[in-house]
Amino acid sequence: MENLIALLVAAPLVGAALLLCGGKRLDRTGHWIGTLFAAASFAVGVALFADMLGRSADHRALHQHLFTWIPVGGFRADVAFQLDQLSMTFVLLITGVGSLIHVYSIGYMEHDERRRRFFGYLNLFLAAMLLLVLADNYLLLYVGWEGVGLASYLLIGFWQHKPSAATAAKKAFLVNRVGDMGLSIAIMLMFTTFGTFAFGPVLASTGATSEGKLTAIGLMLLLAACGKSAQVPLQSWLGDAMEGPTPVSALIHAATMVTAGVYLITRSGAIFNAAPDAQTAVVAVGAVTLLFGAIVGCAKDDIKKALAGSTMSQIGYMILAAGLGPIGYAFAIMHLVTHGFFKAGLFLGAGSVMHGMNDEVNMRRYGGLRKYMPVTFLTFGLGYLAIIGFPGLSGFFSKDKIIEAAFAKGGTEGWILGGAALLGAAITAFYMTRVMLMTFFGEERWRKAPTPSPDQPSVEPAAETRGEYAPPHPHESPKVMTLPMIVLAIGSVFAGGLFSINEAFVKWLEPVTSFAHGHSPVSATTVTAATIAVLLLGVAVAWLMYGRRPVPSLAPRGSLLTRAARRDLLQDDFNDLVFVRGGGHLTTTLVQLDHTVVDGAVNGTAASMGGLSGLLRQLQSGFVRSYAVQMLGGAAVLVAATLLMRGV
């Protein structure tokens, strides 16, 4: 079975090559070709999973060496794959959810002239992400890491005729380059410390390495994870990434790009376990981001950007759990998988709403859509219940375990982390209930012409000015779009419960990630009760604000925090002030320094030598009589000096 591992990456890679190089002759069938290759990779993954289940827990890891990539002296880099329980979990998520998104895209992108190219980029995305999670060494992982960055750039900016999409793609690419520098530095440190990049030797040698070196490597890995998984302080690109087609949002936010950072930290668990300072930094980043993203999600009227804030927050939960070490690794991945189901379903549901509403994204122009889109309402609603942690659904099992693990950290730190996780659960219930109420309940606000506003420009300003506004005609999406939503809704309901039977998921990952029970000062029953209580509180507050009151077509001014949240808590303003303007001022200062000091020293030295040479040149008259007189005068001076010295 080891020989099949390469097919996981090869299938979507071949599909991408065919679709991107095959030309217009494949325009009519390109979407089916892309979907077929994605499904083929999923089929191979299922076959390998079935074989893995037939092996004992300690003999499930498979390796496939393809060739030696770079052999130079002591430097050796191989193209080799490692398939164990951790990478298999990601393989099934990436290919399974990715294939459903391909199917959904057949309907969503039906009228796009560049649909073949879009499916080629989707296949490229899957291939890069699979390479990332299957690599058996950090250098090959880096290739997949950069491939994911390239594919995200191509997909976020797919509609490059829109300046906002082109800008968003560049922003995602550049912000991620900052994180990528962290990964590249970490790999260099690994080679100088361990003499290899391979997971096995690196992770097995952490016990014999100084804590300082491991801390440096861990912090660089965390920087990389912050970039790919949109964690503070490299989170600013995620909201703008919504400029891409909605299936891209589902793929990035649920199955591929943002999960890469969680995988990197979990895979490198031995490094963080031996570097407590780096591990503390991971926990801090996760706790801050889960609250940051939740607060941003509360203020967004764009349905996709509200879900983007939610993704940032939920990935924060996963990073927090991964930072807890063996107490939380398994729960981080468990929540990652359940999140893959309900977040993909939520994004595809948002796309279905947009499909029936003439691509409108402003929830203040929705309302009452449940009776026009019953399938979308049901599947989106199940995803909503799952993400807020409604008892019995997937999010209830996975997120509650993270909250329990946070309290199990112990001491003051445990109380702080557990409190932050509970607060995040309350805010999640609030903003997701807000999304449900504004979209599917209440007055049908789309029947009225939107009021033009500088902050919210109308869809058809000319028509509205003439009083000719034509409201959209909301309708259910075709089956090719609703069937993937139904499948994801089923996963949103049942996945978490299945994983929790006899701690099946924890036992599955334990040989790779290890597992340890913490010593929580709070019982699991108390944590569950508290989680349900804050969930109900968040739902109740949202109902009072958006269920019992009419939703205005224009957002009110709101409090200072609300206005800041609408601007993503001023993250772009901070980046502009510190990095853009600050960098500009620094560059200007350095240029002036170069002109005045560096160039001044060089040019001043040259001018001084030129002036001195001009003076010396005057002594060279070219007349022999002048030279004879000078020689005579010099000789006289020497004779006089000699006589004087003898007299002394």
Side-chain angles (χ1 to χ4, degrees), residues 250 254 340-350 379-380 383 484-485 488-489 492:
F341 284 111
F342 54 70
K343 183 50 63 67
L346 288 169
F347 267 109
L348 296 189
T379 56
F380 193 98
M485 293 159 56
L488 291 169
S492 300

Side-chain angles (χ1 to χ4, degrees), residues 97 100-105 108 245-251 254 307 341-355 376 379-380 477 480-486 488:
V97 175
L100 291 173
I101 293 172
H102 275 70
V103 174
Y104 178 93
S105 300
Y108 191 87
T246 300
V248 175
S249 303
L251 192 63
L307 294 178
F341 284 111
F342 54 70
K343 183 50 63 67
L346 288 169
F347 267 109
L348 296 189
S352 180
V353 171
M354 292 167 57
H355 182 269
T376 300
T379 56
F380 193 98
S477 299
V480 73
M481 293 173 63
T482 57
L483 284 177
M485 293 159 56
I486 293 171
L488 291 169

Side-chain angles (χ1 to χ4, degrees), residues 121-349:
Y121 292 158
L122 287 184
N123 272 199
L124 180 63
F125 212 142
L126 291 190
M129 189 65 191
L130 287 167
L131 179 62
L132 190 159
V133 300
L134 287 170
D136 86 330
N137 62 83
Y138 284 97
L139 191 62
L140 188 60
L141 179 149
Y142 186 77
V143 176
W145 192 272
E146 291 300 312
V148 169
L150 171 62
S152 68
Y153 170 79
L154 296 171
L155 286 169
I156 293 170
F158 183 74
W159 288 327
Q160 69 262 32
H161 59 277
K162 297 166 54 179
S164 56
T167 301
K170 289 187 289 185
K171 184 176 182 180
F173 193 81
L174 291 174
V175 173
N176 271 273
R177 296 291 72 73
V178 178
D180 295 350
M181 284 298 296
L183 182 56
S184 63
I185 293 172
I187 293 173
M188 295 176 199
L189 290 174
M190 287 177 192
F191 186 75
T192 58
T193 302
F194 304 107
T196 180
F197 310 108
F199 292 148
V202 168
L203 300 179
S205 303
T206 54
T209 307
S210 69
E211 185 178 317
K213 289 183 179 180
L214 293 175
T215 299
I217 294 173
L219 291 176
M220 290 299 100
L221 292 175
L222 174 59
L223 179 62
C226 287
K228 276 290 183 288
S229 294
Q231 300 293 284
V232 172
L234 300 179
Q235 79 287 3
S236 62
W237 65 269
L238 194 65
D240 296 87
M242 298 302 98
E243 290 293 337
T246 300
V248 175
S249 303
L251 192 63
I252 288 177
H253 288 245
T256 55
M257 188 166 178
V258 296
T259 66
V262 183
Y263 171 80
L264 180 65
I265 293 174
T266 305
R267 173 63 75 186
S268 308
I271 294 174
F272 288 96
N273 294 341
D277 291 340
Q279 201 169 54
T280 299
V282 174
V283 170
V285 166
V288 170
T289 308
L290 76 87
L291 294 175
F292 188 104
I295 293 171
V296 168
C298 291
K300 294 296 185 181
D301 293 331
D302 184 319
I303 187 171
K304 290 174 66 178
K305 290 191 175 183
L307 294 178
S310 169
T311 297
M312 192 188 305
S313 177
Q314 297 304 308
I315 298 295
Y317 272 103
M318 302 170 205
I319 295 292
L320 168 62
L324 296 174
I327 301 174
Y329 287 137
F331 300 136
I333 304 301
M334 180 177 173
H335 192 55
L336 185 149
V337 176
T338 59
H339 178 265
F341 284 111
F342 54 70
K343 183 50 63 67
L346 288 169
F347 267 109
L348 296 189

